[in-house]
Amino acid sequence: MRSLFHDSSQVFALVIGVTDGILTALTLAAGRIFESSDPITIGLAFRISAASSASGIFVFFTAELIRLRGSLARAERQLNLTTQGRLATTNLGRTILIETAIRAVVSSTCNFFGALIPLIAGAIRPATSWLAIVIALVLLCGLGFAAGRAIHGNPILWLLSLLVAGVVLTVAGVKFRIV
Amino acid sequence: MNIRRLVLDVDKAISRPTILEVGEAIEGVAGVEGFNITVTEIDIETVGMNLTVEGEKIEYEALVEAIEQTGAVVHSIDQLVAGAKTVERVKRER
């Protein structure tokens, strides 16, 4: 079996999971951090991370399965198969289902820790709970930079794009005050 | 019918199944003693292959089922050699 980091689709799941986790944490917790006198607790950090992870696993599973089944449908047309859905009944259908499930678990786990790490940092020291936002934004910057380098794009542009996304969702979180 | 050799036109999508997966499936079919998979054409999304299978009493239906279960597709039989002995193709000359 290929190692996790040599499989680009696993890296895709990992990046989506971490990014989604951080952005969800920012959206849900920013209001509490900046506008409330109640600091973030460790329990709340785990609850937000679990909610983000649970929602993420279904979203990722559905999107990935549709993407891979779509690739099978395209292959059927290229192979001039007259019966639609024929490839899905072969080993490929089962392989795709297993791969999707594994990637969804990887993505969901990364989602959980992507949300948990900054929130825990804010919960451990309530006096400086804004640290959660800083750590989340720094993680997003690091992720953006790494992604930019990995795809031979402009790392600074990627870093700034994810930073802007993080700031926008933080502002949205402060306005919405969800938790 | 004692099938001794089959030459098949087999296509598959670029990404999967791999040729090794197709080969493993063929190897498990009753009667197959050896085979050759040669890529004849690579398109943007498909790979065309020429498959030669030799053996004794090769089970054609099982062979096609095994290949297609991997996700590859058998398009046609390009050569069939069967009987008590192997008869090679003789080119007509006029």
Side-chain angles (χ1 to χ4, degrees), chain A residues 13-170:
Chain A
L14 188 147
V15 170
I16 280 198
V18 173
T19 310
D20 187 28
I22 296 171
L23 293 177
T24 306
L26 284 173
T27 313
L28 294 181
R32 178 77 166 252
I33 290 168
F34 286 120
E35 298 283 313
S36 170
S37 54
D38 283 344
I40 284 186
T41 62
I42 290 179
L44 180 63
F46 271 95
R47 287 205 304 279
I48 288 175
S49 305
S52 174
S53 169
S55 139
I57 196 168
F58 292 113
V59 171
F60 185 90
F61 185 85
T62 309
E64 184 70 349
L65 192 58
I66 288 172
R67 186 179 75 83
L68 292 177
R69 283 294 294 267
S71 71
L72 280 192
R74 201 170 54 248
E76 280 172 358
R77 284 195 296 277
Q78 295 291 327
L79 294 168
N80 295 323
L81 296 181
T82 49
T83 318
Q84 287 182 343
R86 185 171 142 190
L87 285 183
T89 63
T90 66
N91 290 347
L92 290 182
R94 197 166 51 248
T95 306
I96 276 176
L97 199 61
I98 293 167
E99 279 182 12
T100 304
I102 291 170
R103 288 175 198 167
V105 170
V106 169
S107 173
S108 173
T109 307
C110 294
N111 190 320
F112 181 81
F113 286 106
L116 187 67
I117 289 168
L119 293 180
I120 282 284
I124 285 173
R125 299 181 66 181
T128 54
S129 60
W130 50 265
L131 209 59
I133 304 293
V134 173
I135 289 175
L137 293 177
V138 168
L139 282 175
L140 277 177
C141 288
L143 203 63
F145 190 83
R149 287 195 65 163
I151 61 163
H152 305 297
N154 184 341
I156 301 299
L157 196 62
W158 274 84
L159 180 155
L160 289 175
S161 302
L162 282 186
L163 180 62
V164 167
V167 170
V168 166
L169 287 176
T170 303

Side-chain angles (χ1 to χ4, degrees), chain B residues 30-42:
Chain B
V32 173
E33 291 174 4
F35 61 89
N36 175 305
I37 302 175
T38 302
V39 173
T40 53
E41 195 178 356
I42 297 181

Side-chain angles (χ1 to χ4, degrees), chain B residues 12-29:
Chain B
K12 72 174 196 72
I14 283 273
S15 57
R16 55 178 116 199
T18 64
I19 292 178
L20 287 176
E21 285 168 343
V22 176
E24 280 171 8
I26 294 165
E27 199 172 32
V29 175

